[in-house]
Amino acid sequence: METIVSLIVLTALLVKATSGQICADLDTTGCGLLAAQPGFCANSSLSNSICKRTCGKCPLTCFHCPKQPVLHAQDCNTTQQCATGEMCVLRTLSGNHYEYLMSCDDTKYCNGFGFGFGAGALIGRRYVEPRDINVHCCDGDLCNVPNYVATTTPAPTTLPPIHSCNKDVIFVVDESNTIGPVDFRKVIDLIRAIVTRLDIGVNRDQVALLLYDMTPHIQWYLNDYTTKASLLGALSYVPYHNGSSRTDLALKFVRENVTVYQHGDRPSAGNVAVLFTDGLSVNHQSTVKEATALKQTNTTIITVGVHNLANLQSHSTQELVDIATQNKAVVLKSLGDTRDAIMKIVEMICT
């Protein structure tokens, strides 16, 4: 049956094949289904034409506004495919306010050459104290976007008090191309706001971050950041990838690699996985199966629907209910004002 489905999908993709378009899968969902077949990307005639992005055959694409600084990420709407030896670069100019230059650039700039500071100033996964000119390099498509706190974030006095929940919290973020870089940054901002309400520490609350598209991308484990300052600093530089939504593989990765002793999991603390996604995964049946397996390890799963999801009765959001622990599914009507969502998610984490 799977072979028949694959052949049908492949035939549809071949019909859609055209020349002269940008580097992308001809059909993201179709390529996601095909990629589940072992050795699919080894077929060069498919990986080099029909499913180039899924198979990692596309050049790195970055936001590219290198001449004129912008005040906000959305002010840069130009992209460029990088040449060999280049990475996505974000330069942050700080003073009375922040301005940003985004570009494809030679990797030598990632070591600080030409910017008045040396190789030790490279900013990657970990936080480095900001300077007048701060350089951040990354190697994921459209990852060179500033991660600023949204202006709609409510004042601290309107938020609930800081909770010490004694939880190991794993944030799992869908970064598929249907979410897009702007809404992805808003989700990271929401996570930042949630983290500020937790009591971070090795004997209090710990936080891990996992991104996923076709594959899981672990950013850090539970025991990598043990202070709130270092954790919030790391959240300032989270790369964005894109692709299909293999939620099943992300949940499996959490179970096999994150909620384990060597990566900081504590027997004395409850495990909570908070999944942010915008709809159906590539393989619904496999996703529900992996969610069930994760819940059987005494991990609570909170699902948060983002990006144009209307209500929990719609077809596209039923999967959120199927994945989540009972009464732990939330749908955000907007990523603009998230005050109520912050309070609700913190409460769900702690109870």
Side-chain angles (χ1 to χ4, degrees), residues 218 221 249 252-260 262-263:
I218 185 67
Y221 291 102
L249 298 183
K252 181 179 181 181
F253 188 93
V254 170
R255 176 170 55 85
E256 295 182 346
N257 300 281
V258 182
T259 56
V260 294
Q262 59 266 38
H263 288 147

Side-chain angles (χ1 to χ4, degrees), residues 290-306:
E290 290 297 339
T292 300
L294 182 57
K295 285 183 282 190
Q296 287 174 345
T297 66
N298 294 319
T299 298
T300 298
I301 301 180
I302 301 169
T303 55
V304 183
V306 300

Side-chain angles (χ1 to χ4, degrees), residues 68-310:
Q68 184 65 38
V70 297
L71 296 176
H72 305 286
Q74 56 266 39
D75 294 336
C76 180
N77 52 20
T78 303
T79 61
Q80 178 169 300
Q81 291 185 348
C82 294
T84 302
E86 292 185 334
M87 296 179 69
C88 294
V89 177
L90 169 67
R91 296 176 180 83
T92 302
L93 295 81
S94 59
N96 294 329
H97 63 281
Y98 289 96
E99 293 182 333
Y100 308 97
L101 292 170
M102 295 172 258
S103 62
C104 286
D105 263 315
D106 193 288
T107 54
K108 68 182 181 182
Y109 293 116
C110 301
N111 293 322
F113 296 114
F115 288 93
F117 47 90
L122 169 64
I123 300 173
R125 232 178 63 182
R126 305 276 182 172
Y127 175 73
V128 175
E129 184 176 351
R131 296 183 167 189
D132 290 338
I133 301 178
N134 214 347
V135 180
H136 170 60
C137 299
C138 52
D139 58 2
D141 283 332
L142 305 178
C143 62
N144 57 333
V145 180
N147 192 13
Y148 49 85
V149 178
T151 57
T152 54
T153 300
T157 54
T158 67
L159 289 171
I162 293 176
H163 290 270
S164 183
C165 310
N166 192 35
K167 300 290 186 180
D168 287 335
V169 184
I170 307 100
F171 290 106
V172 184
V173 182
D174 180 353
E175 52 178 351
S176 59
N177 50 22
T178 53
I179 288 183
V182 174
D183 280 347
F184 173 79
R185 295 296 155 188
K186 291 179 180 179
V187 171
I188 299 301
D189 284 341
L190 176 56
I191 292 174
R192 286 174 60 91
I194 294 170
V195 167
T196 63
R197 311 318 305 158
L198 299 176
D199 191 13
I200 304 300
V202 292
N203 297 314
R204 296 183 291 275
D205 301 319
Q206 296 187 139
V207 170
L209 177 63
L210 176 71
L211 312 179
Y212 74 95
D213 44 25
M214 282 298 298
T215 57
H217 305 281
I218 185 67
Q219 300 305 293
W220 57 81
Y221 291 102
L222 292 164
N223 55 356
D224 281 347
Y225 295 103
T226 58
T227 67
K228 184 175 293 187
S230 63
L231 184 57
L232 291 175
L235 282 164
S236 296
Y237 296 100
V238 178
Y240 169 73
H241 308 84
N242 59 47
S244 301
S245 297
R246 287 301 301 268
T247 310
D248 55 335
L249 298 183
L251 295 174
K252 181 179 181 181
F253 188 93
V254 170
R255 176 170 55 85
E256 295 182 346
N257 300 281
V258 182
T259 56
V260 294
Y261 177 78
Q262 59 266 38
H263 288 147
D265 183 65
R266 301 167 298 171
S268 61
N271 291 337
V272 182
V274 185
L275 171 67
F276 294 85
T277 183
D278 70 336
L280 291 174
S281 61
V282 169
N283 191 325
H284 173 77
Q285 183 176 2
S286 179
T287 297
V288 174
K289 178 182 176 181
E290 290 297 339
T292 300
L294 182 57
K295 285 183 282 190
Q296 287 174 345
T297 66
N298 294 319
T299 298
T300 298
I301 301 180
I302 301 169
T303 55
V304 183
V306 300
H307 195 74
N308 298 326
L309 298 180

